[in-house]
Amino acid sequence: MTLDSKVPSGPLAEKWDSHKFASKLVNPANRRKHTVIIVGTGLAGASAASSLGELGYNVLSFCIQDSPRRAHSIAAQGGINAAKNYQNDGDSIYRLFYDTIKGGDYRAREANVYRLAQVSVNIIDQCVAQGVPFAREYGGQLDNRSFGGAQVSRTFYARGQTGQQLLLGAYQSMQRQVARGQVKQFPNREMLDLVLINGQARGIIVRNLVTGQLERYVADAVCLATGGYGTAYYLSTNAVGSNVTASWRAHKRGALFANPCFTQIHPTCIPVSGEDQSKLTLMSESLRNDGRVWVPKNTGDKRRAADIPESERDYYLERKYPSFGNLVPRDVASRNAKQVCDEGRGVGETGLAVYLDFKDAIQRLGHDVVAARYGNLFEMYEKITGEDPYTVPMRMYPAIHYAMGGLWVDYNLMSNVPGLHVLGEANFSDHGANRLGASALMQGLADGYFVIPYTLAHYIAGTKVEKVTTDHDAFKEAENSVQDRINKVLAVKGTKTPRELHRQLGRLLWDDVGMARNEAGLKKALATIPKLREEFWQNVAVPGDANNLNKNLEYAGRVADYLEFAELLALDALTRTESCGGHFREESQTPEGEAQRDDAHFSHVSAWEFQGVGKTPTLHKEPLVFEEVHPSQRSYK
Amino acid sequence: MKIHLKVWRQAGPTAHGQFVNYTAENVSPHMSFLEMLDVVNEGLIRKGQEAIAFDSDCREGICGTCGFMVSGIPHGPEPHTTVCQLHMRKFKDGDALTLEPWRSKGFPVLRDLIVDRSAFDRIIQAGGYTSVNTGGAQDANAILIGRDTAEAAMDSAACIGCGACVAACKNASAALFTSAKITHLSLLPQGQVERGTRVLNMVERMDMEGFGSCSNEGECEAVCPKGISLRNIATMNREYWKAILSS
């Protein structure tokens, strides 16, 4: 199999325009004859559903939540990047492109990233027209802040609820199309299989999570916007319902999975407090704009923060990275936090935390300014920990936050399976090995509002599809295989809960496929995961049946998929012996302990082809070609 | 600590429901309320019994998925807090709590503590948007919006659609939810074109869904996890009469 990225020729800045012109169109009168399935209603899925509905396609939209408005994009706090240069501080499309490519440690496709930077400006215009209440200056213009490693202020925000406001904007647009009858929405549905006919993605099998019934839906094309796989680690900042199932089942039907080892660990999360914790809460990294990260200079210093004098504090990010200070990219900040904790200088009861201190910011700006900027985050922190961050420094520790890897897609966001398009976090395409802050919202909306309307039209206009109904044998086969798997889970009647097995898998992945990875640990993980998977199928406990609302059955199905997916995650991490971005191989570091890339051997996308559970998948490589930028060792000194 | 729970169990939308008693043992004060329930459920599953069905997703208080009555108060006793963000340190050893789903004609029970809130989607479908298609927007800074106006719009837009307002209201009115969206959009220049039709259509839909009328009890504001103000309802009423009189 050769992976054709379909990146258009020509100068970088003209690729997208010339590609749009070269793409085929679907006549407005013909669009109503075509049906598109969109799975997921986060920023990518909801924006795609509304845009395609507006154009006149029949859209079928599915989500696992009880309303599309609850998709996990809603939890994004900090902001959305756009190359507007409203602040006159030297930003440009090229600079956003360059920062994103560099931030991703040169493991993303140039053309995709440039397009992302180009359409970023349209996103802000679109959202404002929808009535998204972005923060404003007193003069009435939009406010911006600098965010996560950027030296320009290009981040737009709505308090600490930017994801919520952007998602509600997209959701409302989508509801408008529901009212017009252009979009039919199916909440409480979980996609459990992809249906291929003549090699094309033509439909899905979903389980109605309220009635338990399996349902079949047919379309001309399928778009997955089902998010990332961070919950494989059990504890993550993802919603507890986020999962890998839709992507994984598509992978088992032939879609290649790219760069699964590129996972992002977010540096500022509230530390783990106990065994029964169900998730980790992220504190927006905008906090690092004014908060200062420190630990005691001496190991084992158990004094209260207030009792440790300035001279005995180590503001290690400011010390090691004077030009970026507390604003170094997420991977660098996370690894340094791990390092100081490994040295025994961590704080709090567990010793697995660093301080994020606002004392200086409150002195410099005053309590009110700090409260205006971060008030809701401080409140959230106090609710969870019972400590007041205005008087006691916050405790922070890194946690799994985002998946840069995902299903392989070409420049048109289409996977190697014709008709199967993948949008947002579920694809692998734009963030390389590390995503910059405030870029996830940008990518989700770019894919849904401004890319897929063009590329999907091109696919539909240029592709002949057989006229089929859901009575086709391929639907029967897929539904039967889904039913068999559900029956198999229910038949085990064991004694271990899905949560226990998930927690075990999560701990294993965090220890051996987490912030720092090495050959021995990865091999250990690869040996342990199949045993855990076997234990699941021998001993999982799922009371009740499949014919009604059964949360534990849903969860068990997802855990079963994590247990297959985890092996691919570890294998990809083992195969990539270089360090890059969020993937840190201990064997590959600079003398200063920074990630050491190996461009000679790893300047490629690793796209894996499924060969069966427990069988070694086949690796396909898409070489990364850099025509515009010259990969260099990232330095934030 | 030990917490005694009296939980509404109902096998399905048409099934007969009843309260069942459970005890949560070894509850740590650091746990969230839902984590405490997770542990109770783990125990039930290990005994081969079906877990208490409750819904949650982000567990950060922003998605609006979770929510049930804790001893008569939506989301429990802590102000401005969803039940996923309610921590057990707010309770004491031996407390006895009653857990019930939202009770409203507009929110039929699906199972145990889970209700169907799709009526909220239909209220938004009636007009909770600006009718702009993707692609044609002018530059975002072309229309200036005063900071105070933007902030006021954000105050209303912060609603998470959890339904606590309906659950708290003796009339099961959805006025706070509906008015928050109406206020958000009526404050902004982008919402002006459809200002009149929006309020008329959304209010009509709200009534059709079986929610009761607002009689200014203020219970909704008191339990709203996002602190959405009762003033939104006053705005909605003003907008409504303005639209009626000018139509």
Side-chain angles (χ1 to χ4, degrees):
Chain A
M1 191 187 301
T2 43
L3 295 175
D4 180 2
S5 68
K6 303 227 173 70
V7 169
S9 56
L12 185 64
E14 291 162 27
K15 282 181 196 288
W16 178 229
D17 281 342
S18 56
H19 187 70
K20 280 195 285 189
F21 183 69
S23 295
K24 297 192 178 80
L25 302 172
V26 180
N27 181 308
N30 284 338
R31 290 178 199 149
R32 64 171 178 270
K33 297 175 188 159
H34 298 284
T35 301
V36 181
I37 284 172
I38 301 175
V39 187
T41 59
L43 289 177
S47 59
S50 65
S51 302
L52 294 172
E54 287 158 13
L55 288 167
Y57 298 100
N58 295 308
V59 177
L60 308 179
S61 161
F62 300 82
C63 66
I64 54 172
Q65 295 86 358
D66 74 334
S67 163
R69 66 178 288 150
R70 308 199 197 283
H72 190 56
S73 302
I74 205 155
Q77 297 168 356
I80 177 167
N81 287 330
K84 282 286 199 185
N85 193 31
Y86 282 161
Q87 303 305 324
N88 195 30
D89 61 356
D91 200 10
S92 62
I93 288 169
Y94 195 89
R95 189 175 295 281
L96 176 54
F97 152 74
Y98 180 80
D99 286 355
T100 308
I101 278 277
K102 179 188 175 201
D105 221 355
Y106 306 97
R107 290 293 174 263
R109 255 189 227 136
E110 273 188 344
N112 284 58
V113 176
Y114 195 85
R115 174 177 66 189
L116 177 67
Q118 276 177 305
V119 303
S120 69
V121 295
N122 305 104
I123 295 172
I124 302 305
D125 299 342
Q126 185 63 34
C127 295
V128 167
Q130 290 168 351
V132 168
F134 283 120
R136 299 265 168 178
E137 302 279 9
Y138 283 105
Q141 293 190 319
L142 288 152
D143 191 19
N144 291 114
R145 56 187 173 200
S146 155
F147 202 80
Q151 290 182 306
V152 293
S153 292
R154 61 160 75 103
T155 304
F156 295 78
Y157 66 101
R159 293 192 191 148
Q161 291 135 273
T162 317
Q164 179 199 27
Q165 293 309 314
L166 295 176
L167 182 64
L168 292 180
Y171 156 78
Q172 288 163 199
S173 292
M174 180 180 151
Q175 294 310 300
R176 174 174 161 244
Q177 296 308 313
V178 172
R180 292 179 66 215
Q182 286 301 127
V183 174
K184 285 200 182 70
Q185 67 185 21
F186 299 89
N188 287 314
R189 302 297 200 291
E190 179 161 32
M191 173 183 152
L192 293 178
D193 211 347
L194 177 71
V195 179
L196 303 183
I197 293 171
N198 302 328
Q200 297 165 327
R202 292 300 305 281
I204 56 172
I205 306 291
V206 300
R207 182 165 177 269
N208 181 323
L209 299 179
V210 175
T211 66
Q213 301 306 304
L214 297 182
E215 300 168 352
R216 307 172 182 183
Y217 295 92
V218 64
D220 295 18
V222 175
C223 298
L224 294 190
T226 50
Y229 46 80
T231 41
Y233 287 80
Y234 185 63
L235 285 179
S236 78
T237 65
N238 291 179
V240 292
S242 301
N243 64 79
V244 77
T245 288
S247 292
W248 187 248
R249 306 262 171 122
H251 174 62
K252 289 172 88 169
R253 290 284 178 187
L256 302 185
F257 214 113
N259 297 338
C261 78
F262 291 165
T263 49
Q264 180 164 79
I265 317 251
H266 195 287
T268 52
C269 301
I270 300 177
V272 178
S273 67
E275 181 72 3
D276 296 308
Q277 192 152 351
S278 57
K279 77 154 279 164
L280 295 171
T281 302
L282 175 139
M283 289 279 107
S284 167
E285 74 183 326
S286 62
L287 292 169
R288 286 198 278 144
N289 285 350
D290 288 306
R292 298 180 71 196
V293 178
W294 65 276
V295 289
K297 274 188 179 158
N298 303 317
T299 58
D301 189 339
K302 287 290 164 199
R303 287 176 291 176
R304 293 188 314 145
D307 298 335
I308 301 176
E310 280 296 320
S311 61
E312 292 177 43
R313 297 178 177 193
D314 180 13
Y315 294 90
Y316 58 89
L317 290 177
E318 296 171 22
R319 171 173 59 80
K320 287 170 76 174
Y321 309 96
S323 63
F324 280 74
N326 294 298
L327 292 174
V328 290
R330 293 174 171 181
D331 55 330
V332 178
S334 296
R335 267 199 303 280
N336 276 280
K338 179 179 177 345
Q339 197 186 340
V340 295
C341 292
D342 288 350
E343 287 165 15
R345 297 195 287 149
V347 301
E349 260 177 57
T350 58
L352 288 176
V354 299
Y355 285 130
L356 181 63
D357 200 336
F358 287 86
K359 196 182 69 183
D360 293 348
I362 292 168
Q363 263 168 17
R364 179 165 46 92
L365 304 164
H367 179 283
D368 292 352
V369 174
V370 171
R373 283 185 193 167
Y374 310 111
N376 65 322
L377 297 170
F378 279 28
E379 251 175 61
M380 194 197 270
Y381 180 86
E382 187 173 3
K383 259 175 209 162
I384 294 171
T385 62
E387 290 173 359
D388 172 19
Y390 291 102
T391 53
V392 183
M394 287 182 167
R395 287 172 294 111
M396 291 287 148
Y397 199 65
I400 292 283
H401 178 54
Y402 187 86
M404 280 75 69
L407 293 177
W408 184 88
V409 290
D410 62 16
Y411 189 69
N412 294 318
L413 303 183
M414 188 162 86
S415 71
N416 59 305
V417 175
L420 179 68
H421 294 71
V422 190
L423 284 63
E425 189 180 355
N427 75 29
F428 87 103
S429 69
D430 294 359
H431 305 295
N434 175 54
R435 178 175 66 73
L436 292 182
S439 285
L441 303 185
M442 172 172 71
Q443 188 222 337
L445 291 180
D447 288 0
Y449 284 137
F450 296 111
V451 179
I452 202 71
Y454 296 91
T455 61
L456 192 74
H458 179 70
Y459 172 77
I460 286 175
T463 311
K464 278 211 165 17
V465 294
E466 193 188 326
K467 220 173 154 47
V468 295
T469 68
T470 53
D471 293 329
H472 191 281
D473 284 347
F475 276 94
K476 285 181 198 157
E477 185 273 324
E479 186 181 320
N480 288 341
S481 84
V482 168
Q483 189 63 57
D484 287 349
R485 194 172 167 91
I486 291 172
N487 294 345
K488 209 174 134 195
V489 170
L490 286 167
V492 177
K493 295 191 187 305
T495 58
K496 236 176 172 175
T497 67
R499 186 179 301 278
E500 283 175 283
L501 291 155
H502 189 191
R503 195 187 287 131
Q504 244 174 298
L505 174 69
R507 192 162 304 150
L508 185 157
L509 290 178
W510 180 245
D511 288 346
D512 292 322
V513 201
M515 260 190 288
R517 302 150 177 190
N518 62 50
E519 189 180 335
L522 291 166
K523 285 188 167 160
K524 190 178 105 204
L526 280 169
T528 317
I529 295 164
K531 287 181 196 153
L532 198 57
R533 191 166 60 227
E534 195 167 316
E535 190 183 357
F536 176 93
W537 289 107
Q538 298 293 327
N539 200 20
V540 72
V542 184
D545 58 47
N547 300 320
N548 58 16
L549 197 161
N550 187 341
K551 292 257 165 208
N552 200 44
L553 175 64
E554 295 164 24
Y555 188 27
R558 293 168 196 164
V559 173
D561 289 338
Y562 296 137
L563 286 164
E564 294 175 5
F565 165 74
E567 219 174 338
L568 183 65
L569 175 63
L571 177 67
D572 188 46
L574 179 68
T575 315
R576 192 172 281 272
T577 55
E578 66 163 350
S579 295
C580 58
H583 171 64
F584 190 74
R585 280 291 299 264
E586 287 169 356
E587 299 91 335
S588 180
Q589 44 184 309
T590 64
E592 297 91 40
E594 303 294 338
Q596 174 80 59
R597 277 201 333 270
D598 176 1
D599 290 338
H601 297 100
F602 290 101
S603 188
H604 63 250
V605 176
S606 299
W608 298 91
E609 184 183 358
F610 185 74
Q611 299 293 352
V613 176
K615 300 209 174 92
T616 307
T618 311
L619 175 61
H620 302 277
K621 294 176 184 174
E622 180 204 328
L624 289 167
V625 183
F626 293 95
E627 294 172 344
E628 194 70 29
V629 298
H630 299 288
S632 56
Q633 177 68 37
R634 281 194 314 168
S635 170
Y636 293 95
K637 295 276 173 193
Chain B
M1 1 181 237
K2 190 185 269 196
I3 305 285
H4 303 287
L5 301 169
K6 194 166 123 185
V7 184
W8 183 259
R9 301 298 308 258
Q10 181 176 336
T14 54
H16 182 71
Q18 60 176 1
F19 282 106
V20 179
N21 293 317
Y22 301 95
T23 304
E25 313 264 2
N26 302 321
V27 176
S28 142
H30 293 307
M31 278 179 176
S32 72
F33 201 91
L34 299 187
E35 284 164 359
M36 181 272 294
L37 279 186
D38 285 341
V39 174
V40 171
N41 276 342
E42 296 286 285
L44 293 175
I45 295 167
R46 277 189 216 103
K47 282 190 269 180
Q49 297 172 19
E50 286 195 69
I52 301 162
F54 65 90
D55 216 351
S56 76
D57 203 19
C58 76
R59 297 204 176 189
E60 293 182 11
I62 192 74
C63 73
T65 308
C66 69
F68 45 80
M69 307 295 269
V70 180
S71 296
I73 306 172
H75 292 297
E78 184 73 3
H80 298 172
T81 303
T82 54
V83 72
C84 67
Q85 291 275 286
L86 177 64
H87 279 69
M88 295 312 293
R89 68 177 74 90
K90 304 290 175 188
F91 298 91
K92 56 183 191 302
D93 188 32
D95 275 357
L97 306 172
T98 305
L99 312 187
E100 274 184 278
W102 295 162
R103 304 284 190 189
S104 157
K105 192 174 159 194
F107 289 162
V109 174
L110 295 175
R111 184 161 204 189
D112 298 346
L113 305 177
I114 302 178
V115 298
D116 176 357
R117 289 172 292 194
S118 55
F120 274 9
D121 287 337
R122 292 188 290 275
I123 291 173
I124 298 296
Q125 284 157 24
Y129 45 74
T130 63
S131 295
V132 291
N133 283 356
T134 305
Q138 79 273 50
D139 185 81
N141 258 347
I143 300 177
L144 301 179
I145 301 176
R147 184 177 181 141
D148 293 344
T149 306
E151 291 296 310
M154 181 64 211
D155 286 340
S156 299
C159 167
I160 59 173
C162 65
C165 46
V166 173
C169 178
K170 68 172 188 179
N171 308 320
S173 167
L176 193 65
F177 169 80
T178 309
S179 67
K181 188 47 65 189
I182 288 167
T183 306
H184 159 210
L185 293 172
S186 69
L187 280 168
L188 296 174
Q190 290 83 1
Q192 297 311 308
V193 178
E194 298 162 286
R195 192 168 172 175
T197 49
R198 177 181 303 115
V199 65
L200 295 176
N201 292 338
M202 288 180 75
V203 168
E204 185 190 3
R205 186 78 226 182
M206 173 177 81
D207 292 341
M208 273 167 63
E209 292 292 341
F211 296 107
S213 299
C214 170
S215 50
N216 279 315
E217 309 299 322
E219 296 282 345
C220 51
E221 181 187 75
V223 301
C224 175
K226 295 295 142 181
I228 305 291
S229 162
L230 207 54
R231 277 190 304 243
N232 287 281
I233 300 180
T235 303
M236 175 172 77
N237 292 338
R238 198 164 59 238
E239 293 287 320
Y240 184 80
W241 287 110
K242 246 170 36 189
I244 290 275
L245 293 173
S246 63
S247 65

